[in-house]
Amino acid sequence: MDLEEAREALFAQLVPHSASECIPLAQAQGRITAEVVRAQLPLPPFPASAMDGYALRHQDTANHETFRIVGQSLAGHPYTGSIKVGECARIFTGAVVPDGADLIVLQEQVAEVITDENGDKIVRFVPHEADEDYIRPVGNDVQMGHPMTQPGDRLSPLLLGALAAAGVCEIRVYRRPKVGVFSSGDELRDPGTPPDALTLGQIYDSNRFTLTSLLRHLPIELIALDRLPDDPDAVEEALTEASRRCDMLITSGGVSVGDADFIGATIARLGELSFWRLNLKPGKPLAFGNIGDCWIFGLPGNPVSTIVTCLLLVMPSLQVLCGTIPKPLLRIPATLSSPVSHRPGRAEYQRGIYSQNEPSSSALSVKHTGDQGSNRLSTFAGANCLIEIPKDSGDLAVGADVNILPLSDLLA
Ligand code: AMP
Ligand code: MG
């Protein structure tokens, strides 16, 4: 399967979590809404001034040169009287427009403010034509009852702000699926072990660290799991046990065809293997299946392969499980500024750095980050995109057209 076929197969197979819970808005960032939430009031809830100035009757501007200031309306402190012929109220942005007034004359139009013989304040405006009324009518932003969310919407800071403004304080969201992350391999040691305590052949377990960091912002419950040793019985026992308490398991390593690779075979023995191996570089040995009700991704162990498959396949799959629909991959055309070598066969996702050709132009150029070995985590240093090399492509020269996948989109 190619990448897009695999994504389609995954999205078709995965079933979203249907259980939901009601939580305070303040705890809802990143969660997925399970209901239509409606505005509890119109916004603005009252006719509001859009500017600082004077509220008065439009029809009076034809035959009045001066206006008596009868009060003031500040945000949160309305003038409760009504505006009559020849009167005005001092008003500020966001304040209630008093009854009777239908025009805000901007304070920039004031010629003078004087106090008359009765001690009243009188304003005279520069002669001018009002270009607009500078009044925000009730519901001008949001109508009362407007559907603010649909089931499956992800609660971003911006959406949460809009809901708070619309009087919503609690929201029904899907429960967070439980996701367990394993790594596997006898060579792995915990990060934090002093380097001189590593024996010959040992390396740090970076994948579990990267995977949990990549997934942390998703609306899931991350379950810290152990490392799987290179022993088929121990792998079987650990996967069986974890599959009972998780909705999805993610392993890295041990999924290839080496003598110490047991993950694919164990999934097949304990449950079903939906697919194993993709037409993808890096990421070829990826396995996906289920053990009972628990989905399981066996990701390849090379750190770059782990990351690329997590970005392109695991994170979007988790979005489905969380109750939302993953966006199609964002592909943006760019021109290569470094040559790429590629053998036809598998689509390849190289780490790249894209930039605008000119500060004000939309044209992008992209270069790769050096030798693209799938063990080389350093190929991610400074990278801001993946460069997509189509499967049928051969070597590409400087100037060739490619698509890039911005990491900012993949990580969102
Ligand atoms: P494997 O598929 O288990 O043979 O792993 C492929 C390569 O990735 C080997 O060089 C492993 O040492 C390395 N590797 C596997 N798991 C991890 C991990 N959790 N952290 C860092 N490297 C790993
Ligand atoms: Mg291994």
Side-chain angles (χ1 to χ4, degrees):
M1 269 197 277
D2 294 331
L3 173 66
E4 289 298 344
E5 286 173 295
R7 283 169 55 96
E8 265 178 46
L10 288 166
F11 301 164
Q13 204 172 340
L14 288 159
V15 184
H17 229 45
S18 58
S20 65
E21 59 185 333
C22 212
I23 59 168
L25 210 55
Q27 291 165 20
Q29 174 153 355
R31 300 293 295 270
I32 311 296
T33 55
E35 62 176 351
V36 175
V37 179
R38 295 182 184 278
Q40 302 295 298
L41 75 180
L43 295 177
F46 47 82
S49 179
M51 298 294 265
D52 295 340
Y54 294 81
L56 45 81
R57 293 153 33 106
H58 196 176
Q59 65 193 90
D60 292 357
T61 56
N63 42 22
H64 285 260
E65 280 177 359
T66 60
F67 292 81
R68 192 161 66 88
I69 305 173
V70 294
Q72 62 173 3
S73 189
L74 294 103
H77 301 281
Y79 174 69
T80 51
S82 67
I83 303 297
K84 303 188 188 67
V85 179
E87 293 179 349
C88 70
R90 184 77 171 107
I91 196 164
F92 299 92
T93 306
V96 178
V97 177
D99 279 351
D102 58 1
L103 174 70
I104 309 298
V105 177
L106 306 191
Q107 65 187 28
E108 289 78 355
Q109 308 290 5
V110 172
E112 60 174 351
V113 177
I114 54 160
T115 307
D116 71 5
E117 60 277 12
N118 305 323
D120 287 340
K121 284 218 153 54
I122 308 290
V123 60
R124 188 167 60 78
F125 298 110
V126 179
H128 70 284
E129 281 297 317
D131 47 1
E132 55 174 299
D133 62 13
Y134 298 107
I135 294 174
R136 301 167 183 156
V138 172
N140 142 278
D141 181 13
V142 176
Q143 297 280 333
M144 165 106 173
H146 175 76
M148 308 283 294
T149 67
Q150 294 296 328
D153 285 348
R154 179 144 153 211
L155 289 163
S156 70
L158 309 178
L159 186 48
L160 286 171
L163 290 169
V168 178
C169 61
E170 274 199 332
I171 188 158
R172 181 158 288 284
V173 294
Y174 290 116
R175 280 189 182 279
R176 297 180 299 163
K178 292 190 173 71
V179 178
V181 179
F182 279 115
S183 48
S184 88
D186 287 344
E187 75 280 27
L188 302 175
R189 298 286 303 270
D190 283 332
T193 310
D196 57 11
L198 299 184
T199 60
L200 183 65
Q202 291 187 327
I203 58 170
Y204 291 117
D205 174 2
S206 66
N207 285 348
R208 199 154 41 133
F209 195 78
T210 330
L211 284 172
T212 50
S213 305
L214 282 170
L215 303 181
R216 190 154 285 134
H217 74 286
L218 295 174
I220 60 174
E221 193 181 324
L222 265 180
I223 313 266
L225 296 170
D226 296 332
R227 258 193 315 273
L228 301 170
D230 289 326
D231 168 71
D233 295 334
V235 168
E236 177 164 332
E237 193 185 320
L239 293 188
T240 304
E241 196 274 328
S243 68
R244 294 197 182 113
R245 43 190 197 110
C246 291
D247 298 295
M248 183 181 279
L249 293 175
I250 302 164
T251 69
S252 68
V255 78
S256 201
V257 288
D259 289 348
D261 295 333
F262 307 113
I263 302 288
T266 308
I267 299 173
R269 194 162 56 248
L270 297 175
E272 286 156 281
L273 201 52
S274 301
F275 56 82
W276 187 2
R277 292 191 189 100
L278 293 177
N279 213 16
L280 185 66
K281 183 179 178 184
K284 184 177 172 191
L286 180 136
F288 175 77
N290 65 288
I291 301 172
D293 291 335
C294 178
W295 305 102
I296 174 161
F297 271 104
L299 304 185
N302 269 313
V304 172
S305 316
T306 308
I307 295 174
V308 170
T309 50
C310 180
L311 292 173
L312 297 176
L313 295 150
V314 178
M315 287 168 65
S317 295
L318 275 172
Q319 288 173 4
V320 178
L321 213 60
C322 292
T324 189
I325 298 169
K327 291 178 285 137
L329 291 169
L330 174 65
R331 294 178 163 87
I332 303 178
T335 308
L336 277 181
S337 60
S338 62
V340 157
S341 52
H342 181 252
R343 231 176 330 129
R346 286 184 284 161
E348 182 174 357
Y349 293 83
Q350 298 199 353
R351 278 66 67 207
I353 302 170
Y354 73 88
S355 54
Q356 276 171 292
N357 291 345
E358 310 271 341
S360 60
S361 108
S362 60
L364 301 180
S365 60
V366 65
K367 60 183 180 190
H368 61 67
T369 53
D371 170 11
Q372 296 283 310
S374 61
N375 60 315
R376 299 193 71 229
L377 261 180
S378 58
T379 59
F380 270 106
N384 58 7
C385 69
L386 298 178
I387 310 172
E388 182 173 57
I389 324 284
K391 64 174 171 181
D392 300 327
S393 167
D395 294 346
L396 295 172
V398 169
D401 294 328
V402 289
N403 279 331
I404 60 163
L405 285 59
L407 287 180
S408 56
D409 183 63
L410 296 172
L411 292 167

